[in-house]
Amino acid sequence: MHTDPSVTIRRVDYTPPVFRVETVDLVFDLDPACTRVHASLEVRSTIGAAATLALDGAGLTLVELRLDGALLAPGRYTLDDTTLTIPDCPPRARVELVTEISPERNTALEGLYVSAGNFFTQCEAQGFRRITFFPDRPDVMARYQVTLRAARAAFPVLLSNGNLVEQGECGAERPGWHWARWEDPFPKPSYLFALVAGHFAVTEQRISTRSGRDALLQVWVKPGHEARSAHAMESLVRAIRWDEERFGLELDLERFMIVAVDDFNMGAMENKGLNIFNTKYVFAEPRIATDSDFNAVESVVGHEYFHNWTGNRVTCRDWFQLTLKEGLTVFRDQEFSADLRAAQAGGAQAAASARAVQRIDDVRVLRAAQFPEDAGPMAHPVRPESYREINNFYTVTVYEKGAEVVRMLQTLVGVAGFRRGIELYFARHDGQAVTCDDFVAAIADANGVELSQFARWYARPGTPVLEVSSDYDAVRREFALTVRQQGASVAPLHIPFAVGLVAPDGRDVPLHLAGTKPSTAPAASSATAETLILDVRKNEQRFVFTDVPAGCVPSLLRNFSAPVIVAADDSDDTLAFLAGHDADPFNRWEAAQHLALRAVLTILAGTAPPTAAQRLLEVFARTVVDASLDAAFREQVIALPPEAVLAEHMELIDPVALRAARHALRAELARALAPMWHDTWHALADPAPYRRDAASTSRRTLRNAALAYWVATGAPPAFAAAAAQCRDADNMTDRIAALHVLVNSPAPQRAQALAAFAAEFHDEPLVLDKWFAAQATMHRQSDDPPVLERVRELAQHPAFSIRNPNRVRALFGSFCHGNAAEFHAADGSGYDFWVEQVLALDAINPQAAARIARAFERWPKFTPQRRDAMRSALRRVADQDGLSAGVREIVERSLAQKVPT
């Protein structure tokens, strides 16, 4: 692991490996206290001559080292904290190593570790060097054979990558031990290595691929939890079929395995043929999982399976190219989810609404997390130029913005053209470690288009801003749009800009572009709309549409065709018109969001009666009762922008004032439409048992939104209804929604509801995570003590463990990242808590600590008292000796920011 926090790794300094590894033979003698690893590496010099072989290592005890069978004395090699170096290694050689590690002491959860008595691995990005010495970089791809040996009674299941080729008993040599040998037929980088050993139960299903090959699918879980993995198995089958149909890509192994573990730093890991998952993304049954949880399981299972090709068969040359696999695969899992939602909806209009809901969900994440990241100290291009700690760059920029860059490529060349590009990409690079440039070249060459200007997206940090103005020539019946890319001093980006024109009667106008023709296919959102993709390539461009009737309103950036901010001076009336009539569902939602933003900002400013609030109220009143719209889409329209999004529009962030303004708007919408919320909640009741079909899921979504607004009126019957739903509902979706409503209200039933919920689910860790998070994010009522007091109490709860990443995210992460008004209390108590937890976590699990450390990235944008206190807290952490590289990089980059004048 790169651990020196003072060293910066730069993309331009990349050099190819001096030695490649052709085959790896690993033998593990598994013992929690001391595992012995025997490694045999067949290495080959890339320069055709003897050279120095450098092997990465961290926290290893070297027991023995041999070169071509000869035992090496200490003078023949050098060993420090990070590297084992063998000078004058022959151009072809066999390196044999014996190392020892202590998995049970590995609290960082990188490399080989123990969770609940079972063995697991996590090797991305640089965990393999914690297992044995190796050139631990993604462009060293080798074929692996792995033998696992362990006590059968303690570890009856032995799994690794690839195909099981042999297994048996160890015999007299090790009584009571058994072994299993696995071979992976495909070369892979070390970060994709995996092993699992312990007590597990399995759910199996056999399938035939499109070409007729048989394959075994397995989901391994803690015994007794097999039924909870059924949805994960169904999702895996759907992902396999979708990838065959959409991209012509088949499962390439005899078996594909998923294993669930409670202690895991990430969501899941795509190790070749042996995916290791956080239980959060495997377990799903109505009693413990919400509809959103079911969707998340499906999405993450799809994501990790899709990595089998986009990430495993073709991987990244170096970690700067991380978005090559992650951005592309996020895009693929987003498309997978959108296609499934549309297929389940039934009917063209319902399918369009379902796709819009998925698109809105994707953009919500981008705006709430990635846009602020683009504006903060950790801002970086989707292909970073440098890093100190690579784990800090598993970010929403690399993942979600990276997915938007890939989506733009599909928009530019069309769905069929994008598939041609993917096919060429694999034809050229299967089995290789390549770059983002290689991917863009394949898309360009497969479609005969020039994408060199587009490639700037990979190198440009920040969120582009487009200034858009319009004018209309009534005599010539011409409507003109002028698009300016802010920042004339930098080279312009190539931006696919989807637009439509909405006539006064609410219908789209057919578009005819004067003098030229758009070079691309219609946007994905244009099933019922006339939409053109404008190629914005210059700092300023003017587009003229002919034969346009008077009174048309432009619909800009349809389906969010590019990850940009559009600055357009639309009136409140125009936004209300678009919210009610735009044929592009995404832009209907977008218009309502802009009205809500204006209403909140007007309340904050206290300058004039918020006409935007009145228009928003009218939009809500029309939308909620419009049965022609999907219920889940209606819920999206009436959801106010989150505080994190609103805060980015404030000159100086005052979280307490922001929450008060947002609450004021919400209360006004609740009171003014109280009968509608009451009636909607009652009308959408379903006495039938829980079902997970699309209609039922959408119904629950809108009904719970109506309940939240009804409770916001302060009506005692609403409190009673929420308490009854929390107590009696037959599914977690309705129960946790009601619990959130209660804890964020003055309802007298909230304490009893929290206690009853905890008592019922005391033995369900994933449900208790929801219980922790609900309290960490609660909006304090006037007579409540600070939420921080509750968080400190919950940190002492028997179910909480600072060593479990899920618990840390649920309690500390929810408070520091998800409850701004309480975390940023004026007395600075939240900042003292942050210092305590960052330092405590850093000694246990640096990745978990680094996530909490990022809570201060926007400190210069806060009010003076808060930013001074945050800067002081950052300095307190920075002054500590022995910080991990990840935490030090974050706090030092945060401190390097300048306070705006």
Side-chain angles (χ1 to χ4, degrees):
M1 171 77 60
H2 166 61
T3 56
D4 185 347
S6 66
V7 175
T8 298
I9 311 299
R10 303 183 189 281
R11 184 174 69 88
V12 294
D13 295 333
Y14 169 82
T15 56
V18 176
F19 278 90
R20 296 198 179 276
V21 181
E22 295 183 336
T23 63
V24 181
D25 193 337
L26 297 172
V27 179
F28 288 83
D29 293 321
L30 294 168
D31 180 272
C34 182
T35 287
R36 180 163 283 202
V37 183
H38 308 256
S40 178
L41 317 178
E42 298 287 342
V43 302
R44 176 177 56 82
S45 168
T46 60
I47 62 175
T52 297
L53 173 63
L55 303 177
D56 301 303
L60 305 175
T61 299
L62 180 63
V63 177
E64 185 176 289
L65 174 62
R66 293 178 180 271
L67 182 64
D68 289 331
L71 185 65
L72 293 188
R76 180 67 177 82
Y77 65 88
T78 60
L79 177 62
D80 61 27
D81 290 343
T82 63
T83 312
L84 170 63
T85 304
I86 304 174
D88 299 318
C89 181
R92 282 188 173 273
R94 185 174 76 256
V95 180
E96 297 171 278
L97 307 112
V98 179
T99 56
E100 289 181 346
I101 53 179
S102 180
E104 69 181 9
R105 296 175 61 189
N106 180 359
T107 61
L109 310 183
E110 294 181 86
L112 180 65
Y113 66 94
V114 173
S115 172
N118 299 323
F119 286 99
F120 299 90
T121 54
Q122 173 54 37
C123 292
E124 189 176 357
Q126 296 174 331
F128 192 73
R129 64 188 66 188
R130 293 175 175 265
I131 295 173
T132 190
F133 292 98
F134 196 81
D136 191 14
R137 45 190 288 171
D139 57 351
V140 174
M141 303 176 72
R143 286 185 167 83
Y144 284 66
Q145 178 176 275
V146 179
T147 302
L148 306 178
R149 301 191 296 216
R152 178 180 286 279
F155 308 103
V157 176
L158 304 175
L159 308 175
S160 192
N161 308 87
N163 300 316
L164 178 63
V165 293
E166 290 182 277
Q167 57 186 332
E169 303 300 321
C170 292
E173 176 190 358
R174 291 178 180 268
W177 280 47
H178 68 140
W179 59 272
R181 181 168 296 120
W182 294 80
E183 288 185 358
D184 189 342
F186 298 98
K188 64 174 179 281
S190 55
Y191 80 85
L192 290 173
F193 168 79
L195 75 79
V196 171
H199 282 276
F200 300 95
V202 66
T203 300
E204 298 183 335
Q205 183 170 339
R206 291 193 174 273
I207 64 167
S208 293
T209 66
R210 189 171 63 170
S211 65
R213 286 189 310 103
D214 290 333
L216 174 64
L217 310 181
Q218 296 179 314
V219 181
W220 298 84
V221 298
K222 181 180 178 181
H225 290 167
E226 296 90 329
R228 296 181 174 188
S229 68
H231 178 65
M233 177 66 81
E234 294 166 2
S235 300
L236 177 58
V237 174
R238 283 192 286 269
I240 291 170
R241 298 307 183 206
W242 182 86
D243 219 14
E244 290 178 339
E245 178 67 25
R246 179 72 179 267
F247 291 106
L249 301 174
E250 282 194 358
L251 174 60
D252 54 4
L253 291 168
E254 295 173 7
R255 72 170 72 196
F256 188 93
M257 298 172 284
I258 291 174
V259 182
V261 58
D262 288 331
D263 298 301
F264 202 67
N265 279 330
M266 303 180 182
M269 179 61 208
E270 71 267 19
N271 315 298
K272 183 70 177 181
L274 179 57
N275 287 188
I276 298 178
F277 271 61
N278 191 318
T279 51
K280 176 179 175 65
Y281 297 107
V282 174
F283 290 173
E285 61 180 9
R287 179 176 174 270
I288 65 168
T290 65
D291 293 336
S292 294
D293 292 331
F294 274 90
N295 290 339
V297 168
E298 188 169 69
S299 173
V300 175
V301 168
H303 180 97
E304 304 307 330
Y305 173 75
F306 301 145
H307 267 313
N308 191 51
W309 282 89
T310 50
N312 296 3
R313 288 286 288 264
V314 180
T315 194
C316 43
R317 185 195 70 181
D318 53 69
W319 290 120
F320 298 104
Q321 317 296 327
L322 181 59
T323 197
L324 174 71
K325 72 183 187 76
E326 295 301 346
L328 175 55
T329 305
V330 168
F331 166 74
R332 276 157 47 76
D333 83 56
Q334 289 174 350
E335 288 290 276
F336 169 61
S337 297
D339 283 350
L340 290 185
R341 280 186 169 182
Q344 294 164 2
Q349 184 173 359
S353 288
R355 281 189 170 279
V357 169
Q358 177 64 45
R359 189 70 183 121
I360 291 165
D361 284 343
D362 298 338
V363 175
R364 278 188 184 279
V365 172
L366 197 76
R367 286 186 174 155
Q370 196 281 319
F371 279 19
E373 182 171 88
D374 253 347
M378 296 296 289
H380 55 278
V382 294
R383 181 185 58 204
E385 293 297 326
S386 65
Y387 64 82
R388 296 188 201 172
E389 168 55 72
I390 184 55
N391 286 322
N392 283 344
F393 287 87
Y394 283 74
T395 62
V396 282
T397 297
V398 166
Y399 280 64
E400 276 72 21
K401 186 175 180 179
E404 294 299 319
V405 172
V406 174
R407 184 177 298 277
M408 286 190 289
L409 284 170
Q410 177 172 274
T411 299
L412 289 170
V413 301
V415 173
F418 187 76
R419 174 162 172 169
R420 287 194 299 271
I422 288 287
E423 290 171 348
L424 181 59
Y425 175 61
F426 286 116
R428 286 178 173 176
H429 302 298
D430 191 10
Q432 298 177 16
V434 299
T435 68
C436 297
D437 292 337
D438 294 318
F439 175 71
V440 175
I443 301 296
D445 294 348
N447 292 279
V449 296
E450 205 284 318
L451 293 174
S452 60
Q453 182 181 356
F454 181 85
R456 292 172 184 164
W457 278 100
Y458 285 93
R460 184 78 54 82
T463 304
V465 177
L466 298 184
E467 298 175 351
V468 182
S469 59
S470 63
D471 56 82
Y472 180 69
D473 186 327
V475 176
R476 300 172 63 91
R477 288 173 56 87
E478 291 181 345
F479 190 100
L481 282 177
T482 301
V483 183
R484 300 179 186 88
Q485 298 191 42
Q486 274 190 4
S489 61
V490 297
L493 295 166
H494 180 185
I495 302 173
F497 192 60
V499 301
L501 291 177
V502 186
D505 63 1
R507 297 184 181 183
D508 270 18
V509 173
L511 298 183
H512 308 283
L513 196 62
T516 187
K517 181 180 179 182
S519 60
T520 59
S525 65
S526 60
T528 60
E530 294 289 343
T531 300
L532 290 181
I533 308 298
L534 304 178
D535 278 315
V536 177
R537 294 174 175 267
K538 301 177 181 178
N539 284 322
E540 181 172 329
Q541 282 176 266
R542 184 176 173 84
F543 301 92
V544 178
F545 301 97
T546 61
D547 196 24
V548 176
C552 289
V553 173
S555 172
L556 306 174
L557 201 71
R558 283 187 157 178
N559 204 44
F560 199 71
S561 60
V564 301
I565 295 170
V566 175
D569 191 20
D570 291 324
S571 67
D572 293 344
D573 288 342
T574 296
L575 290 173
F577 173 77
L578 290 172
H581 299 287
D582 200 322
D584 181 80
F586 180 90
N587 274 12
R588 291 185 73 164
W589 169 80
E590 180 81 307
Q593 292 288 290
H594 280 297
L595 282 172
L597 169 64
R598 287 185 182 179
V600 170
L601 294 180
T602 302
I603 293 170
L604 276 167
T607 53
T611 59
Q614 180 59 36
R615 296 295 172 268
L616 185 66
L617 190 151
E618 294 163 2
V619 169
F620 278 25
R622 288 196 307 267
T623 301
V624 170
V625 299
D626 187 349
S628 69
L629 299 173
D630 176 74
F633 176 73
R634 285 182 270 166
E635 185 275 334
Q636 293 277 16
V637 172
I638 64 173
L640 298 180
E643 291 175 359
V645 171
L646 295 168
E648 289 302 304
H649 295 270
M650 299 177 69
E651 185 175 346
L652 285 177
I653 300 173
D654 180 340
V656 176
L658 174 58
R659 176 164 295 176
R662 188 176 183 275
H663 275 190
L665 175 61
R666 184 175 182 81
E668 175 59 26
L669 293 167
R671 288 191 296 267
L673 299 173
M676 183 182 74
W677 305 125
H678 167 276
D679 294 348
T680 300
W681 183 78
H682 282 283
L684 293 176
D686 185 357
Y690 174 88
R691 298 186 303 277
R692 259 208 79 248
D693 58 89
S696 298
T697 299
S698 293
R699 177 192 58 78
R700 280 188 292 272
T701 301
L702 181 57
R703 185 171 190 255
N704 285 322
L707 176 64
Y709 276 108
W710 185 26
V711 167
T713 66
F719 296 159
Q725 179 174 308
C726 184
R727 181 186 65 243
D728 300 332
D730 68 348
N731 65 88
M732 183 52 63
T733 302
D734 287 340
R735 297 190 74 172
I736 197 66
L739 185 66
H740 274 281
V741 165
L742 288 170
V743 300
N744 289 303
S745 78
Q749 299 94 333
R750 59 180 179 153
Q752 181 181 355
L754 281 167
F757 192 92
E760 180 174 351
F761 296 103
H762 68 277
D763 57 350
E764 296 286 359
L766 295 178
V767 180
L768 286 179
D769 285 344
K770 302 178 191 300
W771 182 76
F772 282 125
Q775 295 172 85
T777 57
M778 68 188 299
H779 295 189
R780 181 159 53 110
Q781 304 303 305
S782 59
D783 56 348
D784 286 346
V787 173
L788 178 57
E789 291 184 15
R790 183 183 292 262
V791 171
R792 287 191 179 278
E793 290 174 5
L794 290 170
Q796 305 304 314
H797 193 280
F800 180 80
S801 170
I802 197 172
R803 294 177 181 270
N804 179 270
N806 284 355
R807 303 300 93 75
V808 170
R809 281 188 286 266
L811 187 58
F812 298 164
S814 294
F815 178 69
C816 295
H817 291 289
N819 198 344
E822 294 293 322
F823 177 57
H824 295 286
D827 64 1
S829 56
Y831 307 153
D832 294 335
F833 178 79
W834 175 86
V835 172
E836 295 168 21
Q837 304 314 322
V838 167
L839 295 178
L841 280 165
D842 202 39
I844 299 167
N845 186 331
Q847 285 192 48
R851 293 190 183 100
I852 302 300
R854 297 193 65 174
F856 281 2
E857 287 182 3
R858 301 290 279 144
W859 68 267
K861 194 173 166 61
F862 281 74
T863 52
Q865 179 183 354
R866 290 183 173 89
R867 72 185 177 212
D868 290 346
M870 279 189 271
R871 179 162 47 191
S872 174
L874 283 164
R875 286 172 175 161
R876 287 160 59 192
V877 173
D879 288 344
Q880 298 294 315
D881 293 330
L883 281 183
S884 68
V887 169
R888 184 162 296 283
E889 178 177 29
I890 289 167
V891 297
E892 289 185 353
R893 289 181 65 158
S894 295
L895 282 169
Q897 297 177 93
K898 297 185 182 301
V899 176
T901 57

